[in-house]
Amino acid sequence: MSKQPTLFVPHGGGPCFFMNPDGPPDPMWRPMEAYLQGIAGSLPERPKAILLISGHWEEPGFTVHGGEQPELLYDYYGFPPHTYALRWDAPGSPKLAGRVAALLEGAGFPVSEEQARGWDHGVFVPMKVAFPDADIPLVQLSLRADLDPADHIRVGRALEPLREEGVLIVGSGMSFHNMRARGPEVTAPSAAWDDALCEAVTDADPDRRAARVADWPGLTNGRYAHPREEHLLPLMVALGAGGDDAAVLDHRSVVLGWTVSGYRFG
């Protein structure tokens, strides 16, 4: 079994890839859509399962979804009616959920398990593009609501063994997420942030990389890019799970005036 990489992917805005029920999305979103569509073909082999951490699920403590067939949570507002009928009916994996909980507890992190919450759009929107057949089991892990970057990196490190077990670990968020800043005037400052983030994430020294990314508010325009960092924290988990493997910039595009990026570890 080949070792899987870990990914931090941009999941777009709401159901952005599915706004047009009869064709492709707005041209602005097409480069991101193409990136997501290419993920499956870029992997060393078909994943046995997917573990996904979304910027849209926070709990007081780390929580793993152990349901066998989770529903979808349409946690976006004001979009066309057909976007509330989207389906992505992949199975869950109680076995993987238990393995995730055991790894985290072994690393000293208390873990809760639940089965009632639906998969939010940070799960089903990008996964519907990347794995449209919905035939790979998926388990979702929450963020911890304190959003401590170093602890989320340590959580990722605890999960790294899953990669040798055929599990694809995906952090789903947005590398830039300031909802009050949109348009052409945002592109230059967001690009400066993205360049600084990329330099930190792709640092060849794993320990220095982790320290630099954990100190993300000190990077150029850090708090401008993320007034609140829930959409950046999935990157911390992906980075931690990447271990000592090299990190590369896997995607860059401009949406809403924002420069956004995706990363691959391993």
Side-chain angles (χ1 to χ4, degrees):
M1 183 176 296
S2 299
K3 182 180 181 180
Q4 292 288 346
T6 73
L7 305 174
F8 173 70
V9 304
H11 63 227
C16 59
F17 309 112
F18 305 103
M19 293 290 284
N20 179 0
D22 301 314
D26 184 297
M28 174 179 67
W29 295 105
R30 290 180 194 171
M32 190 180 295
E33 179 190 46
Y35 164 64
L36 294 170
Q37 288 172 335
I39 285 175
S42 74
L43 301 176
E45 63 185 32
R46 174 185 164 90
K48 181 178 177 181
I50 299 168
L51 174 64
L52 190 142
I53 303 89
S54 164
H56 288 280
W57 187 21
E58 302 173 35
E59 295 288 348
F62 291 107
T63 302
V64 63
H65 194 300
E68 293 186 355
Q69 195 70 56
E71 294 296 322
L72 302 186
L73 177 61
Y74 301 100
D75 55 336
Y76 42 73
Y77 308 95
F79 290 93
H82 75 270
T83 65
Y84 298 90
L86 296 172
R87 300 305 308 168
W88 192 74
D89 296 321
S93 175
K95 181 178 179 180
L96 175 58
R99 174 76 170 130
V100 169
L103 286 171
L104 295 188
E105 288 167 352
F109 292 100
V111 181
S112 299
E113 295 188 49
E114 68 90 51
Q115 299 184 8
R117 185 182 186 273
W119 286 336
D120 58 70
H121 75 274
V123 181
F124 73 83
V125 168
M127 292 297 96
K128 186 174 175 65
V129 178
F131 299 99
D133 292 337
D135 57 354
I136 299 175
L138 185 142
V139 167
Q140 185 175 8
L141 175 67
S142 79
L143 300 173
R144 196 176 67 191
D146 66 356
L147 303 180
D148 179 271
D151 269 0
H152 283 78
I153 291 172
R154 284 192 282 270
V155 160
R157 286 177 175 157
L159 297 170
E160 184 181 3
L162 295 175
R163 298 172 56 199
E164 297 278 8
E165 300 168 20
V167 178
L168 176 66
I169 299 174
V170 179
S172 172
M174 289 289 278
S175 62
F176 184 96
H177 197 257
N178 183 342
M179 298 299 290
R180 296 185 177 182
R182 302 188 188 190
E185 68 276 8
V186 180
T187 303
S190 69
W193 149 258
D194 202 74
D195 286 344
L197 179 65
C198 182
E199 184 179 345
V201 172
T202 59
D203 192 314
D205 182 278
D207 292 334
R208 190 170 59 221
R209 172 172 71 200
R212 292 175 69 184
V213 175
D215 190 31
W216 67 270
L219 300 177
T220 303
N221 297 335
R223 276 294 175 191
Y224 175 76
H226 291 278
R228 190 175 186 275
E229 59 268 35
E230 78 286 345
H231 274 66
L232 187 63
L233 264 291
L235 170 62
M236 310 298 172
V237 181
L239 183 152
D244 293 342
D245 289 347
V248 297
L249 177 67
D250 214 29
H251 170 75
R252 180 173 278 165
S253 60
V254 176
V255 296
L256 305 173
W258 307 348
T259 301
V260 295
S261 54
Y263 296 94
R264 177 177 299 238
F265 304 87

